[in-house]
Structure formats: structure tokens, C-alpha cells
């Protein structure tokens, strides 16, 4: 099939290309807590199962409900205080505090898949937008020494900051190339952040990143239509530009998203998903007062997918849940993704005709 991908399993045929973007999410959101003051461009979980499989040419739409709840203390709380201006430059302080964040976000990602191949691959373009709420709080004790022209003085303060925001996030353009060879599927992508979302450097909760970023990588999917076995992995790297409001530049980030699944029937999919996020480069810039501040987090959890017809289109519903652990300079928590994708259905194969026999 040109420009598309179907599977045949145990005597049935179903369209699965919609799942290729079912895990779509990248959002500049302060609940992520990594890099500058705990904010990263890439939210782990962007990709999942069937990430590299081609799609049906034409327009499709993906909508996502994303909820996350995370918390952290120590250096993360101190970094957040510095970012919002809560710790003056002449204060040498230790922070015994905790940051808690909850976000409920809705995302929409219209996608166009080109029918004409590019470099022998199927090309697609996406523009992702987000709207939702981010509620973040910080509570704890600051203790240290305040340096003034008159000398150094002991300093102690208890902070209790609550910040909540409902607004639009940044714009995320996304371009992919996908190649298919039997059960093997390959892809490469490039994306980035256009910082037009709600952001203020002195605000604890934001839905924008505050600076430009570019991210690129590649992935692989093994998918056997006869058995329904599937496994995917996507590796990418983020380069962060300097934040003009804070003169802080986050280091290069590495992220690996993976998924494995089994199609039990022509409609039902079950499996596992996970991610590894590791900052490789140190933070820098004249506004950096926290040092290298490299972050890390690992997450894993279950997934469930369901495919169904919607008129002459095809619907795909996917639910993923992650629990986080092994975090460093980044909070741990949990997040869920409920994704609905509506895409063109694959053409129905023509019914075989009997040969006509004449005497």
C-alpha cells in the first residue's frame, strides 16, 4: 500500500497507522522541573508504541488530555526560588523546602501526511498547541547569610508561595520522515519550541518555556502483523537557546522513549511504555547561579489501546500511565495520557474474484 500501513492478524485486517502519533506530546511546562529552574522543553512520554510506522496520507487530528502530579525538594526547590527571584544575589542560603505541581492540559495536533515520498520516505508535518492549567506551590525555610555594605548578617525566612495559571502554551512544529521495510520501520524527526505561550520569569507556574529550543532524533519500530508483536524506541536530543529574560542557558538533554505491545484482536492493544531522560550538558549563562544542575528521571507503566471506525474514518484511543523514579535534580511523580486520534481509514482490499472458466 503506497504511503500507508495495514496489518493482517489472525485473519483480520485493521488500520493501525493512527497509533504512530498517538503518544504525541511535547510541551513547555513548569511542572516538568528540569534544566533552568526545573523547566525542560521535552516532556518524557512524547513517543510510544508504533512510533515509526507510516500513516495513511491526508489530514488527521490528535487530541490529548494530559495530567501530571510531581514533587521535589532540595536543590530543585532552591533552583525554583532563584529563577523567580526569591533568593537575592547577595544571599548565600540553604533551602529546606518542597515544590509540588499539578497540571491538567488539553493538546491538539493537526497532522498532514504527504502522499509523495521524500528521500524514499513518507513525510508528515504537525503543529501542536496546548491549553490548560498549571498549579505549583513552594513551601519551606530559607536560612543563610545576607551580605550588605555594612557587613554579613544571619538571614532566615519561611516561604509559602502558591501560583496557578490557565492559559495557552508554546507552539510546537514537528516534521517526520518514515521508512517501511516489511516488519522493520525507521523514522527521523525534527521539532522545536516557538516561545509564544504564557511565561513570566518571576512566576512560579508557567505554560511557556521562555526561550527557543530545537530537538531532533530517530527511532525504530518492529511490528509483525501476523503475530501482533510490536516494539518501539525513539532517541532524541534537545539544544536549548538562552533565555533572554534570565540570561540562563540550559544544557543539552537526551531522552529515550520506548513501548512494547501486543495486539490481542483487531481492536485491542495492551503493553508497557517507558522513558529515560538525562541531561548531558551543564547549564550556563550569566544568570546561572545553581551550577551544572544536570537532571535525570526514569518512568514506566502500562498502556491500553482501542481501534474503532468513525464513519469513513478510523478512531484510535490510547491510555498510558507512568510512574517516575531514579530522579536527580528533577521531581518524581506520575502522569497519565489519554489520546484520541482520528485519521483516514486504509482502503479496503478488493475481494478476490474467481477465475472464469469457459469450454
Amino acid at each position: 500500500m503506497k504511503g500507508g500501513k495495514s496489518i493482517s492478524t489472525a485473519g483480520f485486517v485493521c488500520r493501525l497507522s493512527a497509533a504512530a502519533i498517538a503518544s504525541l506530546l511535547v510541551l513547555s511546562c513548569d511542572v516538568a522541573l528540569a534544566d533552568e529552574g526545573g523547566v525542560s522543553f521535552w516532556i518524557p512520554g512524547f513517543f510510544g508504541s508504533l512510533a515509526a510506522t507510516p500513516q495513511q496520507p491526508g489530514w488527521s487530528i490528535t487530541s490529548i488530555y494530559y495530567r501530571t502530579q510531581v514533587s521535589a525538594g532540595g536543590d530543585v526547590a532552591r533552583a525554583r526560588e532563584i529563577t523567580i527571584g526569591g533568593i537575592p544575589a547577595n544571599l548565600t542560603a540553604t533551602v529546606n523546602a518542597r515544590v509540588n505541581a499539578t497540571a491538567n492540559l488539553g493538546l491538539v495536533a493537526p497532522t498532514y501526511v504527504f502522499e509523495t515520498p521524500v528521500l524514499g520516505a513518507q513525510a508528515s508535518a504537525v503543529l501542536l498547541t496546548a491549553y490548560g492549567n498549571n498549579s505549583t506551590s513552594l513551601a519551606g525555610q530559607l536560612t543563610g547569610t545576607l551580605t550588605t555594605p555594612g557587613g554579613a548578617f544571619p538571614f532566615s525566612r519561611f516561604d509559602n508561595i502558591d501560583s496557578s495559571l490557565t492559559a495557552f502554551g508554546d507552539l510546537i512544529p514537528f516534521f517526520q520522515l518514515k521508512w517501511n521495510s516489511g516488519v522493520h520501520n525507521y523514522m527521523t524527526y525534527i521539532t522545536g519550541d516557538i516561545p509564544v505561550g504564557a511565561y513570566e520569569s518571576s512566576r512560579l507556574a508557567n505554560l511557556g518555556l521562555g526561550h527557543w529550543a530545537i530537538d531532533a532524533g530517530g527511532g525504530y519500530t518492529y511490528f509483525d502483523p501476523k503475530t501482533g508483536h510490536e516494539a518501539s524506541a525513539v532517541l532524541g536530543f534537545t539544544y536549548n537557546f538562552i533565555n533572554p529574560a534570565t540570561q540562563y542557558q540550559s544544557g543539552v538533554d537526551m531522552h529515550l522513549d520506548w513501548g512494547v505491545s501486543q495486539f490481542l484482536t483487531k481492536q485491542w492493544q495492551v503493553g508497557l511504555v517507558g522513558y529515560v531522560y538525562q541531561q548531558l550538558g551543564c547549564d550556563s549563562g550569566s544568570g546561572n547561579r545553581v551550577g551544572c544542575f544536570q537532571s535525570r528521571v526514569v518512568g514506566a507503566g502500562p498502556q491500553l489501546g482501542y481501534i474503532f471506525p468513525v464513519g469513513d474514518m478510523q478512531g484510535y484511543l490510547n491510555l498510558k500511565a507512568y510512574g517516575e523514579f531514579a530522579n536527580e535534580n528533577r521531581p518524581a511523580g506520575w502522569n497519565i495520557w489519554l489520546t484520541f486520534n482520528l485519521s483516514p481509514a486504509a482502503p479496503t482490499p478488493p475481494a478476490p474474484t474467481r477465475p472464469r472458466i469457459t469450454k
Side-chain angles (χ1 to χ4, degrees), residues 11 30 55 58 120 129 131 187 189 248 259 262 266 278 287 310 340 352:
D30 275 357
Q55 301 164 236
T129 60
Y131 182 84
M187 62 88 75
Y189 76 89
Y248 191 111
Q262 174 67 46
K266 65 179 180 180
Q278 175 69 59
V310 181
F340 173 70

Side-chain angles (χ1 to χ4, degrees), residues 74-75 77-78 81 87 93-98 138 140-143:
D75 290 340
R78 178 173 176 268
E81 284 265 34
I87 301 180
T94 59
V95 179
N96 183 15
R98 194 151 194 88
L138 187 152
Q141 189 80 25
L142 277 71
T143 306

Side-chain angles (χ1 to χ4, degrees), residues 5-344:
K5 176 71 175 178
S6 297
I7 71 163
S8 178
T9 307
F12 58 79
V13 176
C14 62
R15 173 66 185 163
L16 296 175
S17 63
I21 62 172
S23 301
L24 211 58
L25 174 63
V26 61
L27 178 65
S28 308
C29 175
D30 275 357
V31 299
L33 293 174
D35 297 15
E36 180 188 2
V39 184
S40 64
F41 166 67
W42 189 274
I43 291 185
F46 186 101
F47 287 109
S49 289
L50 298 167
T53 55
Q55 301 164 236
Q56 190 69 17
W59 284 101
S60 64
I61 186 77
T62 299
S63 57
I64 302 168
Y65 168 68
Y66 175 78
R67 178 179 173 86
T68 183
Q69 185 171 320
V70 295
S71 63
D75 290 340
V76 173
R78 178 173 176 268
R80 293 300 293 133
E81 284 265 34
I82 291 174
T83 299
I84 65 175
I87 301 180
N90 61 339
L91 176 64
T92 303
T94 59
V95 179
N96 183 15
R98 194 151 194 88
V99 177
N100 297 284
T102 301
N104 290 279
L105 305 171
L107 299 101
V108 177
T111 302
Y112 185 76
V113 179
F114 298 90
E115 187 170 359
T116 302
V118 176
L119 300 177
Q122 183 189 76
S124 63
V126 183
L127 182 62
L128 186 144
T129 60
Y131 182 84
N133 176 266
N134 176 14
S135 297
T136 304
S137 63
L138 187 152
Q141 189 80 25
L142 277 71
T143 306
T145 302
L146 186 66
T147 303
T148 69
F153 301 93
F155 179 90
S156 181
R157 184 183 76 197
F158 184 86
D159 282 345
N160 191 352
I161 305 170
D162 288 303
S163 181
S164 182
L165 175 70
T166 300
F168 285 97
D170 293 345
L171 289 177
I172 313 296
F174 195 91
F175 183 76
Q176 295 180 101
L177 292 175
K178 297 181 178 181
W179 295 264
N180 169 253
S181 178
V183 298
H184 305 291
N185 302 272
Y186 309 88
M187 62 88 75
T188 185
Y189 76 89
I190 185 168
T191 185
D193 186 82
I194 302 176
V196 296
Y199 172 80
E200 290 182 12
S201 60
S202 60
R203 186 170 55 206
L204 190 61
N206 284 302
L207 285 172
L209 188 60
H211 65 79
W212 294 77
I214 189 168
D215 188 285
Y220 168 78
T221 293
Y222 172 86
F223 181 54
D224 186 345
K226 296 179 180 179
T227 63
H229 300 336
E230 180 273 336
S232 298
V234 180
L235 177 67
F237 300 86
T238 304
Y239 177 82
N240 297 283
F241 293 86
I242 195 165
N243 186 332
T246 61
Q247 293 302 305
Y248 191 111
Q249 185 170 16
S250 299
V252 174
D253 303 319
M254 182 275 292
H255 45 84
L256 174 68
D257 296 341
W258 60 266
V260 293
S261 65
Q262 174 67 46
F263 284 88
L264 305 177
T265 70
K266 65 179 180 180
Q267 292 180 300
W268 288 101
Q269 169 198 21
V270 296
L272 298 173
V273 287
Y275 50 73
V276 178
Y277 180 95
Q278 175 69 59
Q279 185 177 339
L280 302 178
C282 288
D283 296 345
S284 60
S286 60
N288 178 17
R289 293 167 51 201
V290 298
C292 190
F293 204 63
Q294 289 175 300
S295 58
R296 180 186 68 233
V297 73
V298 180
Q303 68 164 321
L304 178 67
Y306 179 65
I307 301 168
F308 54 96
V310 181
D312 58 353
M313 305 282 282
Q314 177 180 274
Y316 177 78
L317 194 64
N318 181 273
L319 177 64
K320 303 188 299 180
Y322 295 90
E324 295 183 319
F325 55 95
N327 57 308
E328 181 178 350
N329 291 329
R330 185 179 176 110
W334 57 267
N335 56 82
I336 60 172
W337 311 55
L338 180 61
T339 302
F340 173 70
N341 174 263
L342 185 64
S343 64

